[in-house]
């Protein structure tokens, strides 16, 4: 009962935090969706959500002592946590959830492939993954595939006011259209001044052009006049794509990544993408590691050393101080050399070789969540991350699953 109480308390706390976040989203203007994670970083919170989904589903399908009404509640909570990941657009949490679904599919198929009811569960997960994969491929195709090929464009066409359009067939593709095609800057400026009190500066101009492009409109006065007051407000707040305004949907997470990669390919710009920034940090960290492979640079000096090398290379990341490696394995290698890295890896995998009990799927799920997060984050460099790891690693290894064994031993002694 105490073990179930601890797990239920964790699920309940994540539930309360997620509800508070959605309420905040509904009543506050949010410029960055990360702002709705009120208590800890959005990535650490996504790890809690993924673990909460696993625990809630475990209570739904595995805990036979739970009454039906409680199982239904846990199932609803698991569905809500999944929806919240998409509402918050936390790509790390969504990717982790998909990986967990794949691992669970393989686990179930291996353990219970002869059980018909389990087969249907596996089939359902497989169908879900197929649909998600198909959706991701579809929206990716819609983003990069030109709705109107360059060869079909008539560059002699004019606006309704009789002005000429500018065309740039080498510009970035966004939402299926080239940003630089069908642009009439003079009309944009004149129309903007009738719709907004904000100045028509270069940033506003670029944002307006991208926003119109994302709606499939030409960049002229007629298109500006069709914008609603809410859409004008979005542009004034530098929101450059209509899909960035959606409260729900994977496009809000993927499309900024697509744009940042296109921008990087065209101009080498990395400040628009946290993923590209991470790659820059990883490359720089590996460069430092090559100089200090055996002993590292010392505990506490890794961020200072990273800042120094970024400055020497005149990197776009040089102004972003103390970011760290954003990879837990590289961080420990940088701190203490190859010895510390190998010891850290040993502590992670040792339970699979030295545990005196069979590790269940709960621990495997927790292990996957933490390991994958460490590939893109310094998970153990924050209080939230290290508490999550230290508590649940110990809980699943030394407490969870041991109560049954102890009760059996006690019953044997009483019988004797």
């Amino acid at each position: 009962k105490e073990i179930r109480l601890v797990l239920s308390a964790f699920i309940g706390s994540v539930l309360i935090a997620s509800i508070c976040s959605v309420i905040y989203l509904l009543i506050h203007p949010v410029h960055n969706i990360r702002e709705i994670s009120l208590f800890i970083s959005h990535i650490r919170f996504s790890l809690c959500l993924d673990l909460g989904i696993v625990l809630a589903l475990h209570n739904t399908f595995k805990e036979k002592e739970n009454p039906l009404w409680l199982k239904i509640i846990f199932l609803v909570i698991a569905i809500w946590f999944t929806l919240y990941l998409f509402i918050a657009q936390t790509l790390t949490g969504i990717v982790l959830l998909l990986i967990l679904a794949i691992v669970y599919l393989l686990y179930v198929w291996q353990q219970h492939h002869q059980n018909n009811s389990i087969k249907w569960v596996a089939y359902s997960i497989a169908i879900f993954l197929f649909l998600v994969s198909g959706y991701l491929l579809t929206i990716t195709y819609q983003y990069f595939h030109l709705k109107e090929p360059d060869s079909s464009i008539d560059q002699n066409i004019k606006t309704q006011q009789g002005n000429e359009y500018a065309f740039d067939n080498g510009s970035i593709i966004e939402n299926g259209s080239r940003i630089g095609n069908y642009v009439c800057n003079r009309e944009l400026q004149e129309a903007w001044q009738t719709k907004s009190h904000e100045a028509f500066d270069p940033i506003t101009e670029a944002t307006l052009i991208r926003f119109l492009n994302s709606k499939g409109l030409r960049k002229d006065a007629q298109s500006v006049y069709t914008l609603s007051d809410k859409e004008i407000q979005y542009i004034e707040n530098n929101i450059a794509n209509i899909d960035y305004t959606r409260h729900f949907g994977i496009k809000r997470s993927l499309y900024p990544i697509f744009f940042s990669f296109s921008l990087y390919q065209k101009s080498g710009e990395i400040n628009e993408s946290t993923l590209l920034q991470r790659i820059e940090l990883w490359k720089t960290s590996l460069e430092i590691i090559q100089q200090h492979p055996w002993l590292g640079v010392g505990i506490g000096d890794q961020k200072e050393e990273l800042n120094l090398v970024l400055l020497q290379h005149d990197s776009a990341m040089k102004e972003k101080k103390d970011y760290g490696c954003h990879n837990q394995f590289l961080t420990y290698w940088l701190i203490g050399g190859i010895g510390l890295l190998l010891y850290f890896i040993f502590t992670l995998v040792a339970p699979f070789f030295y545990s005196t009990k069979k590790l269940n799927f709960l621990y495997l799920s927790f292990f996957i969540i933490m390991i994958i997060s460490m590939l893109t984050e310094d998970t153990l460099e924050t209080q939230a991350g290290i508490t999550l790891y230290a508590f649940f690693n110990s809980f699943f290894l030394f407490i969870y699953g041991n109560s049954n064994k102890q009760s059996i031993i006690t019953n044997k002694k009483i019988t004797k």
Side-chain angles (χ1 to χ4, degrees):
K1 290 182 179 179
E2 292 170 348
I3 290 172
R4 287 199 294 269
L5 177 62
V6 170
L7 295 180
S8 298
F10 174 76
I11 294 171
S13 65
V14 176
L15 176 63
I16 293 171
S18 64
I19 293 173
C20 291
S21 297
V22 171
I23 293 174
Y24 182 86
L25 175 64
L26 294 175
I27 65 177
H28 289 83
V30 175
H31 301 296
N32 189 327
I33 196 65
R34 298 179 180 184
E35 297 172 15
I36 71 171
S37 184
L38 303 177
F39 307 106
I40 57 177
S41 79
H42 66 293
I43 292 181
R44 272 62 171 192
F45 189 51
S46 72
L47 305 184
C48 294
L49 286 162
D50 283 321
L51 183 58
I53 291 170
V54 173
L55 293 175
L57 292 177
H58 178 81
N59 276 286
T60 302
F61 298 108
K62 291 293 185 179
E63 290 289 350
K64 297 180 180 180
E65 295 182 9
N66 289 338
L68 180 60
W69 64 268
L70 186 58
K71 290 183 177 182
I72 294 174
I73 290 176
F74 278 120
L75 181 59
V76 171
I77 290 174
I79 294 171
W80 165 249
F81 285 170
T82 304
L83 290 175
Y84 178 87
L85 285 173
F86 287 90
I87 293 172
Q89 304 297 314
T90 311
L91 197 58
T92 300
I94 295 171
V95 171
L96 270 171
L97 184 61
L98 293 176
I99 292 173
L100 288 172
I102 294 172
V103 172
Y104 184 69
L105 177 64
L106 297 174
Y107 174 83
V108 167
W109 189 259
Q110 181 186 12
Q111 298 290 326
H112 308 283
H113 62 277
Q114 295 180 344
N115 188 319
N116 288 329
S117 60
I118 296 298
K119 278 185 179 181
W120 282 111
V121 174
Y123 290 149
S124 301
I125 296 174
I127 292 171
F128 169 75
L129 293 173
F130 177 78
L131 293 175
V132 171
S133 300
Y135 176 70
L136 292 176
L137 289 174
T138 299
I139 63 176
T140 302
Y141 178 81
Q142 291 173 346
Y143 184 93
F144 289 106
H145 179 73
L146 282 173
K147 301 172 185 174
E148 186 177 7
D150 296 335
S151 58
S152 66
I153 292 176
D154 180 9
Q155 298 197 11
N156 295 319
I157 196 171
K158 295 185 178 181
T159 69
Q160 289 189 12
Q161 297 182 11
N163 296 309
E164 293 184 351
Y165 285 113
F167 294 88
D168 181 5
N169 289 336
S171 59
I172 292 173
I173 299 173
E174 187 175 19
N175 290 64
S177 303
R178 289 198 184 275
I179 295 173
N181 284 346
Y182 294 105
V183 179
C184 184
N185 298 87
R186 185 175 70 179
E187 288 190 13
L188 289 177
Q189 182 173 3
E190 293 173 356
W192 178 257
Q193 291 171 349
T194 65
K195 296 282 288 185
S196 173
H197 298 294
E198 298 290 331
F200 191 73
D201 55 29
I203 295 178
T204 301
E205 180 182 9
T207 305
L208 175 60
I209 289 174
R210 282 186 58 199
F211 196 93
L212 293 172
N213 186 79
S214 71
K215 294 190 68 178
L217 301 173
R218 294 178 178 179
K219 300 84 177 179
D220 56 23
Q222 191 65 29
S223 296
V224 176
Y225 293 142
T226 64
L227 296 176
S228 65
D229 292 339
K230 188 67 174 177
E231 289 173 331
I232 293 294
Q233 187 178 1
Y234 287 143
I235 296 168
E236 290 173 344
N237 291 328
N238 297 325
I239 298 175
N241 191 309
I242 186 66
D243 286 307
Y244 296 179
T245 67
R246 314 295 187 195
H247 286 308
F248 186 81
I250 195 66
K251 288 183 179 180
R252 184 168 178 168
S253 284
L254 284 183
Y255 278 12
I257 296 175
F258 292 163
F259 178 76
S260 63
F261 271 95
S262 298
L263 189 62
Y264 174 75
Q265 187 178 23
K266 184 174 179 61
S267 63
E269 174 64 46
I270 67 171
N271 285 326
E272 296 296 324
S273 169
T274 56
L275 178 57
L276 291 172
Q277 290 174 3
R278 281 174 170 81
I279 293 174
E280 177 76 2
L281 291 171
W282 297 340
K283 288 166 57 179
T284 307
S285 299
L286 287 170
E287 183 180 332
I288 300 171
I289 287 170
Q290 287 178 349
Q291 301 172 7
H292 309 277
W294 303 110
L295 297 177
V297 298
I299 297 175
D301 294 331
Q302 75 278 9
K303 291 183 179 180
E304 183 178 345
E305 189 71 23
L306 198 56
N307 293 339
L308 180 61
V309 176
L310 290 172
L311 184 62
Q312 290 173 351
H313 290 176
D314 195 27
S315 168
M317 292 286 295
K318 64 183 180 182
E319 301 299 329
K320 301 180 182 293
K321 302 293 185 182
D322 299 330
Y323 254 43
C325 300
H326 273 276
N327 181 298
Q328 194 64 66
F329 300 96
L330 290 179
T331 296
Y332 281 132
W333 196 353
L334 198 57
I335 287 175
I338 189 67
L340 182 60
L341 173 64
L342 293 176
Y343 177 73
F344 174 60
I345 295 174
F346 170 77
T347 64
L348 295 176
V349 301
F352 292 95
F353 299 98
Y354 295 101
S355 178
T356 57
K357 65 176 183 178
K358 183 180 179 181
L359 299 178
N360 54 37
F361 188 76
L362 281 183
Y363 183 80
L364 179 61
S365 301
F366 168 75
F367 180 82
I368 291 171
I369 291 170
M370 299 308 299
I371 289 296
I372 294 179
S373 74
M374 291 178 191
L375 295 176
T376 58
E377 291 291 326
D378 290 323
T379 305
L380 304 184
E381 302 299 302
T382 63
Q383 186 63 54
I386 199 168
T387 301
L388 182 69
Y389 176 75
F391 175 80
F392 278 106
N393 194 60
S394 302
F395 184 84
F396 287 131
L397 284 177
F398 305 121
I399 299 177
Y400 185 86
N402 285 338
S403 57
N404 292 335
K405 182 188 295 185
Q406 291 169 357
S407 63
I408 291 172
I409 294 172
T410 304
N411 288 336
K412 284 183 178 180
K413 288 182 178 178
I414 292 174
T415 303
K416 289 180 180 180

